[in-house]
Amino acid sequence: MVLAATSELRLDTNWVDYLLIAVYFVFVLGIGVLAKRAVSSSIDFFLSGRSLPAWVTGLAFISANLGAVEIIGMSANGAQFGIPTVHYFWIGAVPAMLFLGVVMMPFYYGSKVRSVPEFMNRRFGPTAHLVNAISFALAQLLIAGINLYLLARIVEIILGWDLWISLLVAAAVVLSYTALGGLSAAIYNEVLQFFVIVAALLPLTIVGLYKLGGYGALKDRIAATPGGADQLSSWPGTNLTGIESPLMSVVGLVFGLGFVLSFGYWTTNFVEVQRAMASSSISAAQRAPIIGAFPKMFIPFIVIFPGMIAGVLVGQVAQAKASGDPNFDYNNSLLYLIRDLLPNGMLGVAIAGLLASFMAGMAANISAFNTVFSYDLWQTYVKKDKPDDYYTRVGRIATVAATLIAIGTAIFASNYTNIMTYLQTLFGFFNAPLFATFILGMFWKRMTPTAGWMGLVGGTLAAVLVGVLSEDALGPMSLGIIGLGGQGASFTAAGAAFFADIAISIVVTMFTQPRPEAELRGLVYSLTPKQDFHDADEGQLSWYQQPNKLAAVGLTMVIILNIIFW
Amino acid sequence: MASSGSDSQKKTTRKAGAFDIRVFIGSLIGIYGVVLVLVGIFDKDDAQLAKSDDLNINLLAGIGMVIVAAGFITWARLRPVIVPADPDGPPSAGPHGH
């Protein structure tokens, strides 16, 4: 995403704002120091997980995703498209999170793996493992760099600091707490970050609605813009998908976004799954994403709504909407709204919230990277059988190295923003076929190791092919042979990856040798005794602690929300 | 889970003390709330208030945050986190860093 190069977004900060921002950083670093102390004192809060309540892992689960792309990008979508943006939450996240908790988490947790790529290794062997681990590790470095760049850029825009200085300060802060307290510091900071973001965005939304005269007035004003009433109902969302036929738009949303893209992201992305895997029991691990789904349902109201409000209340954004300017960059909408509506005081909270969101995004990437690097690459292929503290050291060194690489990537991004966007799309293609391979592997015992890696590679290539043939998914590399652009292109690419992966996996399995069934206990549904997937005491839990019942409540609520905003 | 500190384990458990994330959240949001309330009461700059059509959002958000913070601190007080002290080692495994 590209943010404005203008100085018109310089926020009018005073000492109170800086005080509030400083207080936040004291807490962030304090968590790092205290987490380190807890780690050294023989009780590891994180790995034992016995004291980590499900609401903490649940909030960390969604906070790890509540980064720059979510806050800035989704408010921009809200300003440009309106209510249909809710699909990224109610179709594109909640069902997959519930599915992860109910269906897939018992495999991850029950097989005692320490990472998602490690599951790949146990189920399909080293080739699929290497494809998954290396593409994941590289993607994390890239995304960490992009998050860092966006963070430094926002500090440059709103506070007027030099890009270099904010880059180094931000990297130093993230490095100090992740290297000190490791994953537990990252998780605790993610929970803290969640509340700071709510404290920043909820008052902003309230002021916006107050100024307009309520939600009804907001609807009237938006309906009067050229985008019309399409911006006020979630279905069929043709303006969001860029697919003209309403039926195909719904298919694209439900299958492309809701099924392939979102299930691929939420159920196989180790950045997310790592949070849930840290729990104390199978049912607690299952509950983490399910509990996270509840706040996730309501985040649109404090992220998309400010975007929609900016679309009618902020001069620059409203003009662009009224004239239908295709080149206008909506990514600044939220910043404009903060500038126009918040007085000193709340302004400091809002800046702290933005910084919190960007830093936690980067910290999540780095903590997932160092786990995969230390366990899946270094321990598995380079130095086996060293004592445990050796790998902790490797993890700390990997954290420092990842931060340095992220700084390099961020500097590259500051010069070649477009290339970074396309690279990110490209890495997204690695994610697309993962869900197909995992779900086939978990429920089809015959599926062979060769089918595992060939499905992944073939699916990725299919997605890249659609990207190249589309109008603009990969920028200058796209040829425009099929008439699909924007979101429609990425939905189609993900769908192609899914089907190619399944087809290749089935065909290759027919001609290759499956693994012996004895090796697949805990990895394949039909070969795993039922008690491996449940805690012994699950029957004694109250209804809201039982994953399936909690998930049913969540599903009902998200369906009701969909009906209300139809 | 807080409930995992069952009766049989009582002798080898302790409160999580300072490192209870609820205390952290409550303190940060509480400080924000108090500062915002003070700004809302004493800083009545017309240009600032005009931004929000005279809605004193600093005061309102500040009050809201103080209430939320009080909620977190009360929750942490009423149901402290019980951490089982190192179950593998001897009970006198040395002082814990809290």
Side-chain angles (χ1 to χ4, degrees), chain A residues 26-258:
Chain A
V26 170
F27 273 76
V28 166
L29 294 175
I31 284 181
V33 172
L34 279 173
K36 170 149 169 58
R37 238 189 250 175
V39 168
S40 65
S41 74
S42 84
I43 290 178
D44 193 316
F45 268 85
F46 185 68
L47 282 178
S48 72
R50 280 177 297 246
S51 66
L52 215 59
W55 67 269
V56 169
T57 45
L59 285 179
F61 191 90
I62 55 164
S63 279
N65 169 262
L66 202 59
V69 175
E70 183 103 342
I71 304 259
I72 300 286
M74 289 302 152
S75 56
N77 280 337
Q80 192 171 3
F81 304 116
I83 291 284
T85 313
V86 297
H87 292 310
Y88 285 103
F89 298 80
W90 297 343
I91 298 295
V94 170
M97 291 166 74
L98 299 177
F99 185 84
L100 170 67
V102 172
V103 178
M104 291 177 79
M105 196 47 79
F107 289 95
Y108 288 139
Y109 197 90
S111 61
K112 300 276 183 286
V113 294
R114 296 165 299 184
S115 73
V116 169
E118 193 174 343
F119 184 89
M120 201 59 118
N121 197 10
R122 298 263 311 271
R123 177 65 184 84
F124 295 116
T127 316
H129 177 238
L130 274 173
V131 171
N132 186 204
I134 291 178
S135 66
F136 177 80
L138 288 177
Q140 290 320 301
L141 289 178
L142 177 81
I143 300 170
I146 292 176
N147 272 324
L148 180 60
Y149 164 66
L150 290 171
L151 169 59
R153 191 81 182 86
I154 221 156
V155 173
E156 186 188 34
I157 291 173
I158 62 184
L159 299 180
W161 293 23
D162 195 61
L163 187 72
W164 266 99
I165 297 172
S166 34
L167 206 66
L168 292 178
V169 171
V173 171
V174 172
L175 176 64
S176 55
Y177 78 78
T178 45
L180 276 175
L183 194 55
S184 40
I187 286 199
Y188 281 124
N189 264 319
E190 280 157 12
V191 176
L192 188 67
Q193 167 224 358
F194 176 82
F195 289 98
V196 176
I197 290 173
V198 174
L201 295 181
L202 185 60
L204 179 68
T205 313
I206 291 171
V207 175
L209 286 175
Y210 173 82
K211 253 191 124 159
L212 283 167
Y215 182 55
L218 173 66
K219 286 204 289 193
D220 294 343
R221 295 274 294 270
I222 286 182
T225 63
D230 279 358
Q231 301 172 78
L232 295 170
S233 50
S234 56
W235 299 98
T238 44
N239 63 353
L240 182 74
T241 56
I243 302 171
E244 271 175 42
S245 143
L247 179 68
M248 289 313 290
S249 177
V250 171
V251 171
L253 282 171
V254 172
F255 189 78
L257 173 67

Side-chain angles (χ1 to χ4, degrees), chain A residues 20 24 27 31 34-35 37 43 50 53-55 188 195 207 210-211 287 339-340 342-346 352, chain B residues 1 4 14 19 21-22 24-25 28 32 36 48 51-53 55 57-58 65 72 75 81 84 87 96-97:
Chain A
L20 292 172
Y24 175 68
F27 273 76
I31 284 181
L34 279 173
R37 238 189 250 175
I43 290 178
R50 280 177 297 246
W55 67 269
Y188 281 124
F195 289 98
V207 175
Y210 173 82
K211 253 191 124 159
R287 269 203 307 278
R339 179 199 64 181
D340 286 359
L342 292 184
N344 291 120
M346 264 314 299
Chain B
M1 296 281 77
S4 65
R14 65 198 173 85
F19 206 72
I21 188 66
R22 293 172 297 182
F24 261 78
I25 297 167
L28 179 66
Y32 276 14
L36 288 181
Q48 293 285 324
K51 279 183 165 183
S52 50
D53 278 359
L55 178 73
I57 191 64
N58 277 334
M65 286 181 205
F72 269 105
W75 181 22
V81 173
H96 295 298

